[in-house]
Amino acid sequence: MDENSSGGGRLSLDTTLASQLHKRKQSVDFDHFTLSCRSSNDAGRVAEMDFFPVEKKACAVAVADKVQPASLGIKKEDFTVNTGLRLLTANTGSDQSTVDDGLSRNEDDDKENKNELVLIRAELYRVNEENQRLRGMLNQVTSNYNSLQMHLVALMQQRSQRNGDEAAADEKMEVKQHDSGIPLLPRQFMDLGRLVGMSADADADEPSNSSSDRSLSPTNNVESSIVDYHLKKTSSIVSGGGRGFAREDSPDQGSQGWVPKSQTKVVDSKSPEQAQEATMRKARVSVRARSEAPMITDGCQWRKYGQKMAKGNPCPRAYYRCTMATGCPVRKQVQRCADDRTILITTYEGNHNHPLPPAAMAMASTTSAAASMLLSGSMSSANGLMNSDFLTRTMLPCSSSMATISASAPFPTVTLDLTHSPTPLQFQRPPQSSQFQMNFPNGVGAGFGGVPMQPPSLPQVFGKTLGSQSKFSGLHSSAVADAVKFQHAIVPTAAPPSLLADTVSAATAAITADPNFTAALAAAITSIIGSKGGSGNQTSAISNNSNSNQ
DNA sequence: CGGTTTTGACCTGCGC
DNA sequence: GCGCAGGTCAAAACCG
């Protein structure tokens, strides 16, 4: 746990506070608003920055409104406003001017100031509460929307099952559309989008976990709910078991943790179709990132349990198991790219069966979300089978983050390629660390740096964009594809609130993960303002980056 | 001394 | 059935 997070939490500030300060005639220069933050483990060190640049004043207020103390991992009692403001507001005005006015008057002013301070605190607290209440309402609405959407999907699936020829007809239509130059959405992708929405829905439907609750007490509820949704949905098909990297197919196994090989054999009585289904669900999330370090920092504790020379790669592949809780089924493989040794490929599988620290939440929820997205896609086509001939491709010039969804058997894999175009949110750890931090460019799925993302992160981002905002420039059908690659680029026209929240969260991730607070915060603000403006840089792409490892 | 890493052996699935 | 490759086990070595 990075203790800096508590210091960073004092960023929280809103318009009420600003107006109160204005009333007090403290000439707070918002053009050069200096905010101080004291790190609890770094006493005396004050990080300062020009918090509200002139041209972004308006946005800055919104930003301050969006930066939830809860999302920063701080408690309400840490919500001290006076510390930073008093110290470093450039021209503190009355407080200091009273020095010459005599002692009694000074005391009166002090009392008055204290009273006002109490009021400000109360107001701030109230606004914060209201903010969280609104978030809860938003969650509720989203939940309702998603459940309706789920109903719709279910109905549509029933319909498509009734009509066996529908799939063929759809393909014909798609080809027809393609010929006519209309951007079209392959059937699988439409289903994928919808079901991804359902993933987020499963998350949102979790009754006892409002967003505020989750943000205050980070657990793995997010990811488990997302993935459990799919696992529950397929539990009648998937009998679990199997061998190797993905043994935790069934939720029961997942919750019980690591199951010895001998025990997994018992449940291995399934038909070939079921076996195929099970295989399809061994989803992995692979992360490609440039690093000289042997391993990326994802907030979890890992124990190496094996190393192998993989075929076609001179670099050995290392196998790690999560050791944050006994029996945690999560594993990861780490290997350097054969083509470019500076690229580190980390492949995650499984879901944590224990509470995660904020630092681990980000990666866990992201990988889990990506996996669930993949699983959604794999089971979403009408017959529950992946059509390996679909190859959809769109590469947009502004896309800076890359993700490949490879559904090639036996392990469908989402590859997140972070080796392109570094962004403001990408911070390197200081040299003394043997590991490094990374973030999704533009905050999409961000949070690898080690701080909680807002719960419905990746699935929501992908789901929404896949479902409603994506534009396919073309459809390419290939019968010789040895690996199924869905390629998809997304250009949101405006950042949805959840995305913005994710961005903020990602920004806080960077802040708490990186000692260079000022730069991190600047990057965060830039990121947020960029997404608020809907300038189109909130771009996510699922593209064809072949993972040589998979 | 307990936890982690190393490394060779072993197991299983898959293709031929 | 055989060989190969991926993945895991577990004993030994290592480390703080």
Side-chain angles (χ1 to χ4, degrees):
Chain A
M1 182 67 184
D2 192 344
E3 291 183 41
N4 279 330
S5 58
S6 62
R10 288 168 197 174
L11 284 174
S12 199
L13 182 72
D14 69 3
T15 50
T16 310
L17 174 62
S19 65
Q20 292 282 355
L21 289 169
H22 186 69
K23 277 181 194 170
R24 295 178 59 193
K25 296 182 180 175
Q26 288 187 321
S27 56
V28 178
D29 183 2
F30 272 84
D31 288 348
H32 300 284
F33 194 100
T34 330
L35 182 67
S36 78
C37 292
R38 288 188 185 275
S39 164
S40 59
N41 63 347
D42 193 5
R45 185 176 147 218
V46 179
E48 297 176 34
M49 68 169 294
D50 190 1
F51 196 59
F52 295 156
V54 173
E55 65 276 12
K56 291 168 180 175
K57 207 187 302 179
C59 293
V61 175
V63 166
D65 209 17
K66 287 284 179 187
V67 176
Q68 289 293 308
S71 70
L72 291 166
I74 59 168
K75 299 168 189 170
K76 283 167 185 171
E77 54 264 29
D78 287 341
F79 214 67
T80 51
V81 184
N82 56 335
T83 311
L85 296 178
R86 273 194 161 182
L87 287 175
L88 289 169
T89 44
N91 192 2
T92 51
S94 60
D95 276 352
Q96 287 181 1
S97 66
T98 54
V99 172
D100 297 331
D101 293 342
L103 205 61
S104 61
R105 191 177 162 188
N106 199 7
E107 284 174 357
D108 287 347
D109 281 354
D110 277 349
K111 281 181 185 175
E112 193 180 334
N113 286 342
K114 279 178 184 173
N115 285 338
E116 285 187 12
L117 204 56
V118 169
L119 285 174
I120 292 171
R121 278 190 188 178
E123 180 70 6
L124 201 54
Y125 185 80
R126 188 190 63 77
V127 168
N128 184 39
E129 293 279 304
E130 189 178 339
N131 207 342
Q132 291 191 355
R133 204 167 53 246
L134 287 171
R135 287 170 67 92
M137 285 172 65
L138 181 64
N139 268 353
Q140 183 68 38
V141 170
T142 307
S143 168
N144 291 340
Y145 169 77
N146 283 329
S147 51
L148 278 173
Q149 196 178 32
M150 204 154 64
H151 269 295
L152 181 64
V153 171
L155 285 171
M156 290 181 74
Q157 282 182 341
Q158 282 175 8
R159 257 179 84 178
S160 66
Q161 280 172 0
R162 276 203 299 270
N163 185 1
D165 296 330
E166 191 184 75
D170 279 358
E171 273 187 47
K172 282 181 185 174
M173 274 192 67
E174 283 165 0
V175 171
K176 207 173 176 181
Q177 282 179 335
H178 182 53
D179 289 340
S180 62
I182 301 169
L184 62 99
L185 196 60
R187 177 188 189 83
Q188 282 187 339
F189 261 113
M190 296 191 68
D191 289 340
L192 177 67
R194 290 189 206 116
L195 284 160
V196 165
M198 290 160 64
S199 303
D201 171 45
D203 171 53
D205 279 346
E206 192 128 26
S208 62
N209 287 303
S210 70
S211 63
S212 56
D213 289 341
R214 275 180 300 219
S215 54
L216 284 170
S217 58
T219 67
N220 63 340
N221 288 340
V222 182
E223 55 159 8
S224 61
S225 64
I226 291 169
V227 173
D228 281 355
Y229 172 79
H230 298 288
L231 292 175
K232 281 171 193 164
K233 220 185 156 186
T234 56
S235 59
S236 59
I237 306 170
V238 181
S239 58
R243 166 182 176 266
F245 201 38
R247 249 178 252 179
E248 61 288 350
D249 285 331
S250 83
D252 290 338
Q253 279 191 23
S255 62
Q256 287 165 9
W258 179 250
V259 181
K261 202 184 286 183
S262 56
Q263 294 180 24
T264 63
K265 291 177 183 172
V266 182
V267 292
D268 203 17
S269 57
K270 55 190 171 213
S271 70
E273 289 166 292
Q274 288 170 341
Q276 187 180 8
E277 287 284 343
T279 309
M280 294 299 290
R281 268 143 195 82
K282 292 172 181 174
R284 297 177 176 181
V285 178
S286 184
V287 177
R288 291 165 56 93
R290 285 188 195 282
S291 171
E292 300 298 321
M295 200 163 74
I296 61 174
T297 296
D298 48 27
C300 276
Q301 294 170 356
W302 303 93
R303 177 178 175 178
K304 191 175 182 179
Y305 67 89
Q307 181 166 308
K308 265 287 215 200
M309 293 302 296
K311 190 187 174 188
N313 192 337
C315 304
R317 177 184 300 163
Y319 299 88
Y320 294 88
R321 187 177 294 159
C322 176
T323 59
M324 292 196 78
T326 54
C328 179
V330 176
R331 295 165 175 230
K332 75 172 178 182
Q333 298 176 352
V334 178
Q335 187 174 33
R336 295 215 166 270
C337 182
D339 298 332
D340 186 350
R341 305 284 177 91
T342 64
I343 295 176
L344 198 64
I345 303 168
T346 307
T347 305
Y348 293 87
E349 176 152 345
N351 299 281
H352 298 277
N353 59 359
H354 53 87
L356 291 168
M361 274 291 290
M363 177 63 94
S365 59
T366 301
T367 54
S368 174
S372 67
M373 177 184 71
L374 180 56
L375 297 186
S376 297
S378 72
M379 68 185 199
S380 61
S381 60
N383 299 323
L385 296 172
M386 274 293 192
N387 183 348
S388 62
D389 288 342
F390 272 123
L391 189 69
T392 311
R393 175 170 312 202
T394 298
M395 289 294 292
L396 294 180
C398 51
S399 61
S400 58
S401 79
M402 307 282 205
T404 304
I405 301 177
S406 169
S408 56
F411 304 117
T413 303
V414 181
T415 302
L416 308 170
D417 195 334
L418 306 175
T419 60
H420 303 280
S421 60
T423 70
L425 282 182
Q426 190 167 350
F427 299 101
Q428 296 291 327
R429 270 210 178 277
Q432 65 264 24
S433 170
S434 64
Q435 300 178 336
F436 87 123
Q437 303 284 333
M438 61 185 179
N439 281 294
F440 274 103
N442 296 329
V444 175
F448 281 92
V451 171
M453 282 190 305
Q454 294 299 319
S457 53
L458 201 58
Q460 212 170 59
V461 171
F462 280 165
K464 282 181 179 171
T465 48
L466 282 171
S468 61
Q469 297 177 341
S470 55
K471 298 264 186 279
F472 285 82
S473 67
L475 171 67
H476 173 63
S477 182
S478 168
V480 295
D482 56 350
V484 183
K485 287 181 170 40
F486 299 128
Q487 299 183 349
H488 178 219
I490 306 150
V491 182
T493 52
S498 63
L499 194 56
L500 184 61
D502 288 351
T503 310
V504 174
S505 212
T508 58
I511 289 166
T512 53
D514 199 283
N516 191 351
F517 178 85
T518 303
L521 187 55
I525 303 295
T526 306
S527 168
I528 293 163
I529 290 170
S531 65
K532 266 241 152 188
S535 58
N537 61 351
Q538 277 287 358
T539 303
S540 167
I542 299 174
S543 66
N544 179 17
N545 266 294
S546 65
N547 184 351
S548 60
N549 200 21
Q550 298 299 328

